[in-house]
Structures are given as structure tokens and as C-alpha cells.
Amino acid sequence: MVTIQDIADASGVSISTVSRALSDSPRISQKTRDLIHKIAKEMGYTPSFAAKNLMAPESNTVGVVFQPQNSGISGNDFVMHEMFGINHELGQKNYLLATATGTNWREVYESVKMMVEAGKVRRFILLYTTKHDPITQLLKEYNARVVVTGEPQWMGETLFVDNDNYQAAYEVTQQLIKKFKLQKPLFVRTTAEWLYEENRERGFLNAMPNAEVLRLSENFAEQKGQLRDYFEIHPDVDGIVATDDKIAFLAQHQAEAHLSSHAKLPTVGFNATEYGQLSGKNFFSVDVQPMLLGAEAVHVLFNDQIHENPDEASQNVIVPYKLPKF
């Protein structure tokens, strides 16, 4: 079996140069890459992922870290579409995807620790943001390259991809108000401290400064009761903007059940999921393009292989959103 050592001997360069050339690293000149590929083909070399992992300082695997599943991550269509984008781009790079999950933060932490210690994984995408994250600190100690999807809670040197959630909420609220001549729109979010919810709330309030905001529990059963109670004492609500499609769908249906004067309140959510198809009339959604978010996260993750300049390799990405047609 031909090895990269055989190719190095035949070409008169080091093993590391052969390895990088076969991976088409831009750090190796095109002339040298062409020569190494030619020699490898003539010698009948076949790359082996297993052999590559044994020799390389990091594996050909990217770790994707979920927040604990008992916090509601399971069944999240937005995250699943992000995963589709991530997996597609990794396949183009001949990298594998490994997930770190658990029912609590300790289990997620141990899963990530096993990846970096036993699996030599040095590239990670985090599908959450939280303050004082021990997983982020662990990865920093191992000099892992980390990209977060969403605006980081801690900023600093953290790489991230995100949408401009403030501007998206501002623009879609303006359009909704103009289209339906709204006077009493309601913004609905949860009590969680997610930055995307805070930014969307700020955008909404900038478009409608005196409007009300309803903060719901993160428990689905409790959300239904809270919406029912709110609409029973606020019959003048004439439109809804919510932080995601699921909450928007629930709010519109609770309004339909308890506001006899508004059969189908004009409602806007985010993420462009199937909830819009289920709801039908007067339901609109901002498409934040989760698959593109996932794909861009991979691009940022591997920018260090393209740019030797640290500043160029540390550029964050804001993914464009698509407003609905009213």
C-alpha cells in the first residue's frame, strides 16, 4: 500500500508538504500541488481517512454542539435546516460531522471533552450562545477553532454567523402596519434571554414605540394559557409579530379562539417553516435562511486555511434575510 511517506520520498519534499498538497492547501504553491498529485496518481495512492487522522494534529471531523435537549432543542426545524447546510459544506471538504448532545450541560460538556481529547477534533460549530459557557472555555484551552451560529453573548474574539435580527423585525413590522393599517399590534416572545429575541423586540418597538410586548413561558402548555388570558382582557389587539413561527402560529390561533372580532389576525413570525402553510390566511414569515447560516458557519470555520492573516481569517458573516410578500 502506497503511503504519503512513499510520495514524499519520490518527490523529495516533506511528509507535511505532501499532506497539505493532497488536501489542496493554498499554503502550498499550485506548481507543487500539481506535482504531488501527479506522483500520487502514478504511484496508485489512495487516501485513507483513518490513516490521515492518526498522523494529523487534528481529525477530519467537525464537532457540532447542541444545547441540552431538555431545553427544547429536539424538534427544532430551524436547527435541523442549519445542520443540512453544515453537513453539505463539510461533505464538499471531505470532513465528517459529529454531534455533541445531552440532556443537561454536564453531558454535553463530557461529549465535547471526549471529542477533543480522544478524537482530536479541533473545529467546532456551536448552535447556541450563552454567558460564561464552560464548553467555550474548554475549547479555548485546546486551541480549537470555534464558530457560533447567532450573536454571541460574550463577543470578544468569538467568531459567529448571524442575521440582522433587529433590522429584519423593524422592516417587517413597518410593512405589516402599513399593509393592514394596524393600531394595536402585539409583540410575542419568551422569557428566555436569547439575543435574537431581544434584537427582534427592539426592532419591533422602534417601528411601533408604544406597542405592548407579551413574554411567554418556555413551556408550551403554559404559553397557551398565557395567550388566552391576555387576549381575553386585550380585545383591541389587531396584529401580531412573534419571535418565531411556532409562537406566531400559537398566538394567531389563540387570538382566533378568543377575539371574535378578529378571525385571522395579521401575523408575522420568523424562520419560514411549515407553520405558515398550516395557518394559511394572513400569516407571514421572515426567512432567515438557516441552511445558508449553516453553510456560512463552515466557511468561517475554515477561513484560517485560506487566509494566513489573522484578521482576514477572523471575519464574521451576517447572512441576509428575506422579507415576506404581503
Side-chain angles (χ1 to χ4, degrees):
M1 177 180 177
V2 178
T3 67
I4 61 172
Q5 179 65 68
D6 298 326
I7 300 172
D9 293 340
S11 58
V13 299
S14 67
I15 292 178
S16 61
T17 297
V18 172
S19 179
R20 289 177 179 175
L22 291 175
S23 298
D24 287 320
S25 170
R27 296 186 180 184
I28 305 299
S29 70
Q30 187 62 55
K31 180 179 179 181
T32 301
R33 278 185 276 167
D34 292 343
L35 174 62
I36 298 301
H37 277 289
K38 180 175 180 294
I39 294 174
K41 183 177 181 180
E42 291 174 349
M43 296 179 69
Y45 171 73
T46 302
S48 166
F49 280 152
K52 178 181 177 181
N53 287 346
L54 287 173
M55 298 182 63
E58 66 175 75
S59 71
N60 64 305
T61 301
V62 167
V64 177
V65 187
F66 290 73
Q67 68 184 81
Q69 292 182 357
N70 64 351
S71 295
I73 197 69
S74 58
N76 188 322
D77 294 329
F78 175 82
V79 171
M80 290 301 103
H81 281 92
E82 277 188 307
M83 290 287 286
F84 294 151
I86 291 170
N87 195 50
H88 178 267
E89 292 302 315
L90 290 181
Q92 301 299 307
K93 297 179 177 294
N94 289 326
Y95 266 71
L96 304 175
L97 181 155
T99 59
T101 63
T103 58
N104 56 60
W105 284 111
R106 170 52 61 183
E107 291 182 2
V108 177
Y109 181 91
E110 292 300 330
S111 179
V112 172
K113 186 177 181 181
M114 183 176 296
M115 283 186 184
V116 294
E117 291 185 348
K120 294 190 290 188
V121 179
R122 294 295 182 269
R123 296 179 187 272
F124 286 85
I125 297 174
L126 274 54
L127 302 182
Y128 67 90
T129 67
T130 184
K131 295 179 181 177
H132 312 299
D133 181 25
I135 294 173
T136 301
Q137 182 59 39
L138 172 69
L139 296 176
K140 184 177 180 180
E141 293 172 0
Y142 279 89
N143 294 317
R145 187 169 174 86
V146 178
V147 174
V148 174
T149 59
E151 181 182 340
Q153 297 270 7
W154 57 92
M155 295 303 287
E157 298 178 355
T158 304
L159 295 172
F160 68 91
V161 296
D162 196 14
N163 306 106
D164 189 339
N165 289 296
Y166 167 85
Q167 188 65 24
Y170 174 74
E171 290 184 17
V172 79
T173 301
Q174 280 192 319
Q175 292 186 15
L176 185 72
I177 291 171
K178 181 178 180 180
K179 171 67 177 180
F180 294 97
K181 298 178 173 58
L182 304 184
Q183 299 296 319
K184 294 287 185 178
L186 171 69
F187 186 82
V188 186
R189 56 167 294 180
T190 72
T191 56
E193 296 182 352
W194 298 115
L195 285 178
Y196 75 88
E197 287 198 296
E198 294 177 10
N199 290 332
R200 289 171 186 172
E201 178 185 337
R202 287 194 305 108
F204 169 83
L205 290 176
N206 193 30
M208 196 70 176
N210 297 320
E212 292 200 21
V213 175
L214 176 61
R215 291 174 172 80
L216 303 177
S217 162
E218 295 181 69
N219 180 277
F220 177 76
E222 293 177 359
Q223 289 176 351
K224 293 182 64 176
Q226 290 168 338
L227 286 163
R228 177 198 64 222
D229 294 344
Y230 185 88
F231 289 130
E232 285 180 349
I233 61 176
H234 294 85
D236 56 346
V237 174
D238 59 1
I240 298 169
V241 178
T243 50
D244 66 38
D245 284 350
K246 185 176 181 180
I247 293 175
F249 178 81
L250 179 62
Q252 188 188 57
H253 276 253
Q254 289 299 101
E256 180 182 359
H258 299 285
L259 298 180
S260 58
S261 60
H262 297 287
K264 280 287 186 181
L265 281 187
T267 300
V268 170
F270 284 76
N271 300 350
T273 66
E274 72 275 9
Y275 285 102
Q277 299 174 9
L278 293 172
S279 184
K281 185 180 178 181
N282 285 353
F283 190 98
F284 311 93
S285 185
V286 179
D287 185 359
V288 295
Q289 304 197 82
M291 287 185 64
L292 183 56
L293 276 167
E296 289 295 345
V298 175
H299 295 161
V300 174
L301 190 66
F302 286 90
N303 268 352
D304 62 322
Q305 292 185 347
I306 302 172
H307 304 290
E308 292 190 24
N309 186 323
D311 292 334
E312 294 179 339
S314 301
Q315 293 181 348
N316 303 312
V317 172
I318 300 299
V319 173
Y321 51 84
K322 296 180 179 179
L323 295 175
K325 296 181 179 179
F326 292 99

